[in-house]
Amino acid sequence: MDLMGMMGKLKETQQKIEDTKKRLDTVLIDEQSTDGLLKVTLTANRKIKSITIDDSLLEDKDQLEDYLILTLNKAIEKATKTNEAELDAVAKMDMPMIPGMDNLFK
């Protein structure tokens, strides 16, 4: 087993993961309520970029809160799946198979 080669590969993979995390800041996830009255956009790193609220929702605080919770949770779930898929792909593609370390990047 070439330990130096594996260490170099590990450093290279870590750099690719960092690069992927930076790129995920530019990947936008859009989500909206089923009726389109509330729209949110976040990055694949789960940072909120924008929220658009239809004026009709401003009349009912409870309804607006429900819309925010449901729509943000759906958007966060989508962003998380995108984030994990991208990072898993980088880690699996470039990682040397080291016994016992297969769960390192999960």
Side-chain angles (χ1 to χ4, degrees):
M1 195 180 290
D2 176 15
L3 192 55
M4 292 305 288
M6 285 194 331
M7 293 305 289
K9 189 77 167 159
L10 184 59
K11 280 195 175 296
E12 184 181 310
T13 300
Q14 286 174 327
Q15 183 59 51
K16 285 183 180 181
I17 288 171
E18 288 306 311
D19 292 344
T20 300
K21 286 180 181 179
K22 287 178 188 170
R23 187 178 58 75
L24 289 173
D25 276 332
T26 66
V27 175
L28 299 179
I29 307 295
D30 294 313
E31 185 60 60
Q32 65 180 3
S33 58
T34 52
D35 56 13
L37 296 179
L38 180 81
K39 298 175 183 172
V40 299
T41 300
L42 23 136
T43 70
N45 282 328
R46 299 173 295 274
K47 301 280 188 253
I48 296 171
K49 298 300 269 182
S50 70
I51 297 176
T52 305
I53 302 169
D54 186 270
D55 289 343
S56 66
L57 288 176
L58 299 177
E59 298 164 13
D60 186 341
K61 181 180 180 284
D62 290 335
Q63 182 183 19
L64 175 57
E65 289 171 350
D66 289 344
Y67 269 67
L68 283 167
I69 290 167
L70 291 171
T71 307
L72 284 169
N73 280 334
K74 284 196 306 187
I76 290 167
E77 185 177 324
K78 275 186 183 177
T80 298
K81 285 180 182 176
T82 301
N83 182 290
E84 289 174 353
E86 291 283 333
L87 292 176
D88 282 352
V90 171
K92 287 178 184 168
M93 177 177 58
D94 290 329
M95 277 302 293
M97 292 312 295
I98 302 170
M101 294 187 76
D102 52 344
N103 290 326
L104 184 65
F105 293 103
K106 290 191 176 191

